[in-house]
Amino acid sequence: SLKKIDFPNTLQNISKSAFSCCRNLTSIMIPKSVHLILDSAFSGCSSLVKVDASNSKIETIANSLFSDCRCLENITIPNSVSTIGKSAFSNCKKLKTIIIPNSVKFINKSAFSDCSELKSVKFSENSQIENIGEFAFSNCVNLISIYFYDENEPTVSYDAFQ
């Protein structure tokens, strides 16, 4: 039963659903050599607590990448990311705070939906956010604060926070 993954520093891509439903996996560090992670690569990793992708060069957090990772408490989104895909973090029940780096332009449909313990979303200074999609933060019943440091006014779907 896989608990930890030590990716080689030469790894560039992680395939679709590669580690999906690895129920004993608790921690992942994605090396700087990684440029692409495909849809659902880590979805359903129900014991996953921490993901450090801060050094990676990924530009998109793929659709459903960490969906149903119910124990995920900490995610470091790299400054290279411009898009957070559909349902990327949906049903990550233990996430409490999300810091959106200034490189992110798009948060797609249901990206953080059903994150029931999410309390705070912080957009970094000089944010480039352009669009927050429908249901992006739906059913985040404990969400009490969203911080924008700039006067940038993104397009926010009318039901993004339903």
Side-chain angles (χ1 to χ4, degrees):
S1 58
L2 188 62
K3 291 185 179 183
K4 183 182 176 194
I5 302 171
D6 287 321
F7 291 114
N9 288 331
T10 56
L11 182 69
Q12 293 182 3
N13 303 322
I14 299 174
S15 298
K16 182 177 182 178
S17 302
F19 299 95
S20 181
C21 296
C22 286
R23 289 179 174 40
N24 294 316
L25 187 61
T26 60
S27 179
I28 302 168
M29 190 176 115
I30 299 170
K32 63 182 175 182
S33 59
V34 173
H35 296 276
L36 179 66
I37 305 174
L38 296 177
D39 294 357
S40 304
F42 299 102
S43 66
C45 294
S46 55
S47 297
L48 186 61
V49 175
K50 182 179 179 185
V51 175
D52 184 352
S54 61
N55 292 322
S56 75
K57 303 295 182 209
I58 59 173
E59 293 179 9
T60 298
I61 294 182
N63 297 337
S64 301
L65 185 60
F66 297 105
S67 65
D68 296 315
C69 292
R70 295 171 185 248
C71 291
L72 186 61
E73 295 176 1
N74 190 339
I75 175 76
T76 305
I77 300 173
N79 289 325
S80 55
V81 169
S82 64
T83 301
I84 298 176
K86 293 178 188 172
S87 301
F89 297 97
S90 67
N91 210 24
C92 289
K93 302 282 188 200
K94 300 286 185 183
L95 275 178
K96 290 182 176 55
T97 299
I98 297 290
I99 298 173
I100 308 290
N102 61 7
S103 58
V104 173
K105 293 181 179 181
F106 306 101
I107 298 176
N108 286 319
K109 182 178 182 177
S110 302
F112 295 95
S113 64
D114 298 304
C115 293
S116 56
E117 291 189 31
L118 185 62
K119 293 182 180 179
S120 172
V121 178
K122 297 176 183 177
F123 288 84
S124 297
E125 288 187 61
N126 301 314
S127 175
Q128 297 179 40
I129 190 73
E130 293 177 16
N131 187 283
I132 299 174
E134 57 190 13
F135 308 112
F137 295 93
S138 69
N139 294 320
C140 294
V141 295
N142 287 304
L143 185 59
I144 55 173
S145 62
I146 301 169
Y147 297 100
F148 286 96
Y149 290 96
D150 304 309
E151 293 182 17
N152 183 12
E153 293 184 21
T155 300
V156 180
S157 175
Y158 76 94
D159 47 10
F161 296 93
Q162 185 176 18

